[in-house]
Amino acid sequence: MTRVVSLFSGCGGSDAGVIAAGFEVVMANDLLPYARDVYLANHPETDYQVKDVTKVEAFPAAELLVGCYPCQGFSQGGLRDPSRKINTLYLEFARALRAIRPKAFIVENVSGMVRKNFAHLLQDQFKVFQEAGYRVKAQVLNAVDYGVAQERKRIFIVGLRDDLGVEYEFPEPTHGEGRGAAHLTIRDAIGDLPEWPEGEFYARDFHWYYLSRDRRRDWGEASKTIVANPRHMPLHPMSPPLKKLEHNVWRFETDAPARRFSYREAARLQGFARNFIFPDTERSSLDMRYKVAGNAVPPPLFEAVARALPAVWD
Ligand SMILES: C[S@@+](CC[C@H](N)C(=O)[O-])C[C@H]1O[C@@H](n2cnc3c(N)ncnc32)[C@H](O)[C@@H]1O
């Protein structure tokens, strides 16, 4: 089997995608202990090391390197400070690239990275990956176009080792009007789950910031972007619609009960398999479950990107 080293692996969204595409993840790494608990409950065969990536001294041999370094600096929700240290973790990815020299690599990150004030960081990533000996391409893809019931735009950076002499082509969208299949909807993803999964959703009030925009989509639509912070999780469609009162001020149309998506619904809307496990461990708080589910790359999207790699493995 073709071997993969995974960095910034979280609970394994990207890795579930490469595994579905037929690869074997030999090593994974993340700082977050509960991310490992979830990962190993689903993929017990991987050597998952919980530590700061800067402390990882050796990497096993692999043909593919994948990694989704954190995105706080770039994301719409986070602080948009292009100088934050967290924005240099791609140098750790480049260190692994030089050590392993895989045939290919795949990086995923928030699409905010293409914004003007981050252009230098994106260019620098291209530069270090090219200097490491790779042909590099990047494209923003929307998960909803690849069989995920969620609008989620992310940038993918894919590199193929220079000596292979081949170019990467991003996969064509498979879902949506005029394509092989229709976009998946919230109903497709979670229609079979209970209406009130007690203990599985964040039940605090909807504060003014939450109600500063429309947070709801209907059963027949794809979800808004799933986030890691439960306070900002979109509304379940059983909630009444929101109407706009004025700029940045929205209100529920009726007093009917309303709630956010549960962490399990969030995972389904991310495209995780129906039997994906979130184990009960000493670290399994509700916030942690939401965090690892919301941080993940939708497995079907990562699978599509991995399947589009040329057959260079033998
Ligand atoms: C966007 S998430 C990755 C999600 C993952 N690829 C998935 O699909 O489930 C980024 C991850 O980087 C991890 N991380 C942040 N800083 C790190 C560091 N210095 N060393 C290792 N992991 C780190 C975070 O804990 C987080 O899980």
Side-chain angles (χ1 to χ4, degrees), residues 115-133:
R115 262 200 305 266
K116 220 166 151 206
N117 48 339
F118 292 110
H120 66 288
L121 280 171
L122 185 57
Q123 277 163 16
D124 201 50
Q125 287 167 60
F126 265 70
K127 188 163 159 272
V128 291
F129 298 153
Q130 282 164 347
E131 282 172 4

Side-chain angles (χ1 to χ4, degrees), residues 14-23 43 299-300 303 307:
S14 42
D15 296 15
V18 286
I19 291 166
F23 296 81
H43 306 290
E303 179 183 348
R307 282 191 189 277

